[in-house]
Amino acid sequence: MALEVTNLVGGYSQIPVLKNISFNVKDGELVGLIGLNGAGKSTTINHIIGLLTPFSGTIKINGMTINDDVKSYKQQIAYIPESPIVYKELTLKEHLEMTMMAYNLNKEESWKRANRLLKMFRLENKLDWFPDNFSKGMRQKVMITCAFLTDANLFIIDEPFLGLDPLAVNDLLSLIAERKEKGASILMSTHVLDTAQRYCDRFVLVHDGVVRTEATLADLRKQFPSAGNSLNDIYLDLAKQDKSNEETRAGEK
Amino acid sequence: MSKVFSKRLSSHLTEMIRYLRLVFNDYFVLALLFLIGGLGYYYSIGLRKLSIGIWWAPIVTAIVMIVTLQLGRLATLLEDPDYVFLLPKESEMVQYFRSSFRYSCILGLSVQVLIWFILIPFVQRTSHLDTSEIFFMLITMIVLKLAWLELDLARKYRLKYEIFANRLIFRFIIPAIIVILGVYLNYLVAMIFSVIYFIIIKLLIGNLSGLVVNWRLAISDENSRMHSVYSFFNLFTDVPSLQGTVKRRKYLDVILQRTKLIPENTYLYLYSHGILRDNEMSGLFVRLTVLGVLFLIFIKGLVMPVFLAALFIYLIGFQLLPFYFHFSDNVFIHIYPITGKFQMKNFQRIILWFLTITGILFAITIIFVNYNNPATIAAIIIVETAEIWLFTFVYLPRRISKGIMNR
């Protein structure tokens, strides 16, 4: 099991945003983390990458928690944040060097890999530029390049499609497929449901800090027979149900 | 619209007072009192040595007046999002700018009066001026400042005559001509010319209300003004809104590329690139080092040069300390599979390098100036070595662990 989240309760301050989150990502699997704004997707991700400490519950990557060995826990993760984060003092080339240095990667091999990625994203002539001055899409490409430079087992990708040009979206999806074949797992949060529907093996639907359901598309169709065929329809139906449930509950009070 | 300005002004003043309170803490006020007292004393002694007709006196007066004129820009208090949010109110922006003009006048004109007051004894010692001329001098300074601010306001619009946005001509050249007239001829003439100049500007610029606001320039003017205000405060305290600009400085790559790319050096890599390219940090280092060297060139003796060198090294080190936390907000630092224990070692190495460079420059200067004084030479080498070692390996870790607790 690449990633296993069990009974995770957590958040930023005293008040838990995540009330009870449990799901898993198997080896070579692409799991979509789906939910409305504020549902707890990014908070879940922040817990997995070790930025936040769980109030209770455990997160295991290949059977290891962060407290077992911080270094080897983190060595397994590559992260692509929702809004690109770059060092304003470093050039593109230096960003790549930073990644190679921090993950202790073999220089020669990594540069081969890097050159391929840079060419793919048409960044190869911008090595000496500051990514801080790039457009959002281009900075996102820098993030993708850095993440796919590593040998991570688990890719955590937070809403990767916004701001990327169609060509880059396509390239990213093929990069993901490539790594999947090699046995890496991917957890991807997104709002672009029709893309998610086509590429994800399974979905974790988060609502209001709890996992509403965790299933493949076929299972989801069975669970919500009246909703329609696409992930989009199913999701809208589910969100509507939750809303009316909340309203009746509020009415009862 | 003038209400928008007064609202902003009150929150701006609250912020300024908060910073001023931090700057003028008890020790600093005490030091400042001594400094002012000392300077006043030297000024009064210096004045006694002067006499009428010294050739450089009018030049000094003119330079002081022109430099003073540049103090106090138009505080529009514009913010980046205004381009979007105030755009529909563009036709009413004149009232907003007028309110800001009135506020800026208070500050700008007070400075003129203050400097004029300080200048009076100097001018009286070095030239024949009667009381009326002294007052004409004040009026000249005030009218020129008003014209300066009017032009700073006009710059915020797309003007019919774009030449008025030119700062070199209208902030330096024309005022300089008028001031020189006053200094060498007499202040009545200068005053008359400055009034005429003011009237011509008002007439030629005309009514602003029908014009288009040059938002980009207006906002960047205000940002650069606030940047200088914050940079001043930043000398005394940590200003969060201050974001340094970054320069590529390719010529430093030779040094930067010496870092070996191993995981233990991750922070070394970040800190070295960061400090050298961040204008705030590298600028501070270069400024203080150059200033220190300049001081040391002119000071001979045993205690004073060694004390000054030690003081400047401490100041530089102290100002560089907050850079330890510079990258803490970057999420990737926390994601990399690196252990934090090298962060302190890497930072110490960087600080050691920077302080050693300054130390060597200071030592060379002192040895050069005091070549016939072996005691000074021995003292500076011993004191600097001890100071840099203590600062880097004893003071720095303590200070930073205190900083970690406060974060």
Side-chain angles (χ1 to χ4, degrees):
Chain A
M1 201 67 73
L3 171 69
E4 204 167 2
V5 179
T6 323
N7 298 328
L8 172 66
V9 178
Y12 298 90
S13 54
Q14 303 295 322
I15 310 137
V17 177
L18 307 178
K19 288 157 193 161
N20 188 357
I21 299 270
S22 299
F23 66 92
N24 61 49
V25 181
K26 299 185 184 75
D27 290 341
E29 199 181 29
L30 168 56
V31 171
L33 191 61
I34 316 284
L36 299 177
N37 297 130
K41 300 185 301 289
S42 293
T43 316
T44 307
I45 286 176
N46 282 338
H47 276 286
I48 298 170
I49 61 181
L51 282 188
L52 297 174
T53 319
F55 300 170
S56 66
T58 55
I59 301 167
K60 281 185 180 168
I61 298 181
N62 290 319
M64 182 193 289
T65 69
I66 193 162
N67 294 327
D68 293 342
D69 183 352
V70 183
K71 208 173 143 188
S72 22
Y73 180 90
K74 289 187 173 172
Q75 184 88 41
Q76 307 190 61
I77 309 177
Y79 171 57
I80 301 178
E82 182 183 5
S83 38
I85 297 158
V86 296
Y87 300 102
K88 66 179 198 300
E89 296 91 350
L90 299 188
T91 62
L92 173 54
K93 183 175 169 234
E94 287 155 359
H95 274 83
L96 301 176
E97 278 184 349
M98 262 305 280
T99 311
M100 294 175 197
M101 181 163 42
Y103 285 87
N104 203 10
L105 304 173
N106 179 298
K107 301 285 133 29
E108 223 171 288
E109 245 172 69
S110 305
W111 269 114
K112 257 186 226 158
R113 214 180 255 183
N115 286 329
R116 182 187 155 228
L117 291 164
L118 292 170
K119 212 165 193 165
M120 183 184 278
F121 291 123
R122 281 165 292 132
L123 288 170
E124 74 268 36
N125 53 359
K126 302 206 163 45
L127 273 172
D128 210 27
W129 297 29
F130 286 119
D132 195 36
N133 305 329
F134 286 178
S135 72
K136 172 169 188 235
M138 273 163 72
R139 272 181 288 150
Q140 187 72 357
K141 289 174 178 176
V142 176
M143 296 287 100
I144 297 171
T145 306
C146 287
F148 281 92
L149 214 53
T150 67
D151 294 309
N153 304 323
L154 177 64
F155 286 80
I156 310 272
I157 310 181
D158 199 352
E159 190 55 85
F161 302 120
L162 297 184
L164 280 187
D165 59 63
L167 210 61
V169 169
N170 211 34
D171 288 332
L172 172 63
L173 288 167
S174 63
L175 280 174
I176 291 176
E178 212 174 85
R179 285 302 172 99
K180 256 179 70 178
E181 242 165 64
K182 286 183 188 158
S185 315
I186 296 104
L187 178 69
M188 179 171 79
S189 115
T190 183
H191 291 300
V192 186
L193 295 182
D194 52 331
T195 310
Q197 176 182 344
R198 271 183 289 149
Y199 291 91
C200 293
D201 301 311
R202 223 150 37 89
F203 303 93
V204 175
L205 272 58
V206 187
H207 186 81
D208 204 14
V210 292
V211 173
R212 189 68 175 66
T213 181
E214 181 189 1
T216 61
L217 188 61
D219 287 342
L220 280 175
R221 283 179 185 146
K222 268 181 227 160
Q223 282 181 34
F224 302 92
S226 60
N229 257 339
S230 72
L231 181 62
N232 199 35
D233 293 337
I234 295 171
Y235 190 72
L236 286 178
D237 193 59
L238 189 127
K240 243 182 257 163
Q241 267 183 35
D242 278 330
K243 209 178 168 191
S244 63
N245 283 349
E246 268 159 37
E247 273 159 12
T248 32
R249 240 179 292 150
E252 279 162 13
K253 275 177 197 167
Chain B
M1 284 313 277
S2 44
K3 256 187 202 152
V4 177
F5 183 81
S6 50
K7 224 182 206 170
R8 282 200 185 170
L9 183 60
S10 73
S11 68
H12 172 73
L13 289 179
T14 328
E15 193 194 0
M16 290 300 110
I17 286 168
R18 196 164 55 90
Y19 279 122
L20 285 174
R21 225 182 258 152
L22 288 170
V23 173
F24 291 101
N25 56 42
D26 301 347
Y27 300 106
F28 186 71
V29 169
L30 211 64
L32 201 66
L33 282 178
F34 274 106
L35 191 73
I36 292 174
L39 284 178
Y41 178 71
Y42 278 114
Y43 186 48
S44 67
I45 288 187
L47 278 179
R48 266 179 240 157
K49 291 182 192 158
L50 299 178
S51 58
I52 289 173
I54 293 177
W55 64 271
W56 50 263
I59 299 173
V60 169
T61 313
I63 290 175
V64 169
M65 282 170 76
I66 293 162
V67 170
T68 310
L69 183 63
Q70 314 306 324
L71 302 175
R73 284 183 259 177
L74 185 72
T76 57
L77 306 183
L78 286 179
E79 287 162 28
D80 289 332
D82 286 347
Y83 171 64
V84 177
F85 289 93
L86 291 185
L87 197 61
K89 289 272 179 197
E90 183 153 327
S91 58
E92 294 166 44
M93 281 307 285
V94 174
Q95 296 155 30
Y96 180 95
F97 284 132
R98 278 291 152 209
S99 311
S100 87
F101 181 84
R102 280 191 289 275
Y103 164 66
S104 310
C105 278
I106 301 172
L107 283 177
L109 297 186
S110 319
V111 173
Q112 305 298 317
V113 175
L114 178 73
I115 302 290
W116 168 76
F117 197 74
I118 296 171
L119 262 182
I120 294 174
F122 179 78
V123 174
Q124 279 184 325
R125 276 289 316 169
T126 54
S127 59
H128 304 277
L129 282 190
D130 54 29
T131 324
S132 59
E133 272 212 80
I134 299 263
F135 274 101
F136 294 150
M137 177 181 167
L138 175 65
I139 295 169
T140 309
M141 287 171 84
I142 286 178
V143 174
L144 282 178
K145 185 67 205 178
L146 285 173
W148 195 99
L149 284 169
E150 281 287 351
L151 283 160
D152 202 2
L153 197 165
R155 247 169 79 77
K156 273 56 177 180
Y157 283 88
R158 299 205 181 275
L159 296 168
K160 202 161 86 187
Y161 306 105
E162 272 181 14
I163 180 123
F164 282 116
N166 186 309
R167 285 184 284 192
L168 181 67
I169 298 176
F170 292 98
R171 287 186 179 181
F172 289 96
I173 297 178
I174 296 179
I177 293 170
I178 293 174
V179 164
I180 287 168
L181 274 179
V183 171
Y184 282 103
L185 207 60
N186 79 54
Y187 285 105
L188 182 62
V189 179
M191 182 183 80
I192 292 167
F193 270 97
S194 64
V195 173
I196 293 171
Y197 168 62
F198 182 77
I199 293 170
I200 290 174
I201 284 174
K202 280 293 258 184
L203 286 178
L204 283 181
I205 290 173
N207 192 358
L208 291 170
S209 57
L211 297 174
V212 179
V213 177
N214 189 348
W215 286 101
R216 243 165 49 97
L217 185 106
I219 290 171
S220 87
D221 269 3
E222 178 64 10
N223 283 346
S224 100
R225 192 188 72 87
M226 284 313 290
H227 186 84
S228 10
V229 172
Y230 285 139
S231 314
F232 170 74
F233 288 139
N234 203 37
L235 292 175
F236 306 93
T237 172
D238 197 28
V239 180
S241 35
L242 197 68
Q243 290 238 322
T245 43
V246 172
K247 283 258 166 65
R248 175 72 177 86
R249 303 191 214 281
K250 212 173 161 84
Y251 50 90
L252 292 175
D253 280 4
V254 195
I255 307 168
L256 289 172
Q257 276 161 5
R258 292 169 58 94
T259 312
K260 248 174 93 190
L261 301 178
I262 48 173
E264 288 77 28
N265 283 347
T266 308
Y267 276 103
L268 190 68
Y269 190 92
L270 273 179
Y271 284 136
S272 57
H273 283 79
I275 292 184
L276 288 180
R277 286 188 188 156
D278 185 306
N279 262 351
E280 217 66 52
M281 282 297 140
S282 51
L284 197 121
F285 175 76
V286 171
R287 268 198 307 273
L288 282 177
T289 305
V290 170
L291 198 70
V293 168
L294 285 180
F295 270 132
L296 294 174
I297 286 175
F298 294 106
I299 294 170
K300 279 185 191 175
L302 177 60
V303 180
M304 246 348 235
V306 176
F307 172 75
L308 265 181
L311 179 72
F312 269 85
I313 287 173
Y314 170 75
L315 278 179
I316 291 172
F318 186 77
Q319 301 280 350
L320 289 179
L321 278 186
F323 204 77
Y324 181 85
F325 301 106
H326 188 76
F327 297 103
S328 306
D329 294 334
N330 190 308
V331 70
F332 282 100
I333 277 304
H334 308 283
I335 305 238
Y336 294 143
I338 45 174
T339 40
K341 66 177 173 195
F342 294 106
Q343 185 177 5
M344 178 68 82
K345 276 191 187 149
N346 284 180
F347 190 66
Q348 282 174 322
R349 218 166 117 190
I350 290 287
I351 294 296
L352 189 63
W353 265 105
F354 274 99
L355 293 187
T356 307
I357 291 169
T358 305
I360 290 174
L361 287 174
F362 283 180
I364 290 173
T365 314
I366 287 177
I367 292 169
F368 194 71
V369 174
N370 303 281
Y371 59 93
N372 51 5
N373 194 343
T376 310
I377 294 171
I380 189 66
I381 290 170
I382 294 166
V383 168
E384 272 190 355
T385 314
E387 185 191 16
I388 292 174
W389 189 85
L390 282 172
F391 186 91
T392 314
F393 297 104
V394 181
Y395 180 73
L396 183 148
R398 283 189 195 178
R399 188 83 203 182
I400 285 184
S401 54
K402 230 189 204 171
I404 291 172
M405 288 203 305
N406 288 338
R407 280 176 89 84

